[in-house]
Amino acid sequence: MANNATKTKKKKPNWFRRVGAKFKETFSELKRVTWPSFPTVLKTTGVVLAIVFAFLVLVTGVDYGLGALLKVITK
């Protein structure tokens, strides 16, 4: 009886077929993606760069202030 169970068990496809199927599935999903327009990409990139620059200024200011405070404390 155990012998019948092993015969009816399906074998997995080989590794290359599984990888090929995954690539095919991935590319079919990418075809359905709604990509943003170029002006939208430029606008959102500008917003991201502005936020990064603002945090750069903030962190640099805090670093400078803490450095000055450390100099005052250690003198």
Side-chain angles (χ1 to χ4, degrees), residues 2-28:
N3 210 3
N4 287 339
T6 57
K7 285 183 181 177
T8 58
K9 192 175 183 181
K10 290 184 180 180
K11 289 178 73 176
K12 273 206 257 185
N14 68 14
W15 186 82
F16 292 106
R17 287 190 188 271
R18 288 189 313 228
V19 170
K22 184 55 83 173
F23 274 116
K24 188 176 179 180
E25 180 183 326
T26 301
F27 283 115
S28 70

Side-chain angles (χ1 to χ4, degrees), residues 3 29 51 63 65:
N3 210 3
E29 282 292 325
I51 291 171
D63 181 49

Side-chain angles (χ1 to χ4, degrees), residues 27-74:
F27 283 115
S28 70
E29 282 292 325
L30 282 175
K31 288 179 183 176
R32 290 189 249 164
V33 172
T34 304
W35 298 100
S37 64
F38 188 69
T40 304
V41 171
L42 284 179
K43 185 192 289 186
T44 54
T45 302
V47 169
V48 168
L49 289 176
I51 291 171
V52 167
F53 184 73
F55 274 101
L56 172 72
V57 169
L58 178 70
V59 169
T60 303
V62 169
D63 181 49
Y64 179 76
L66 290 175
L69 182 63
L70 183 63
K71 281 184 182 180
V72 169
I73 292 172
T74 56

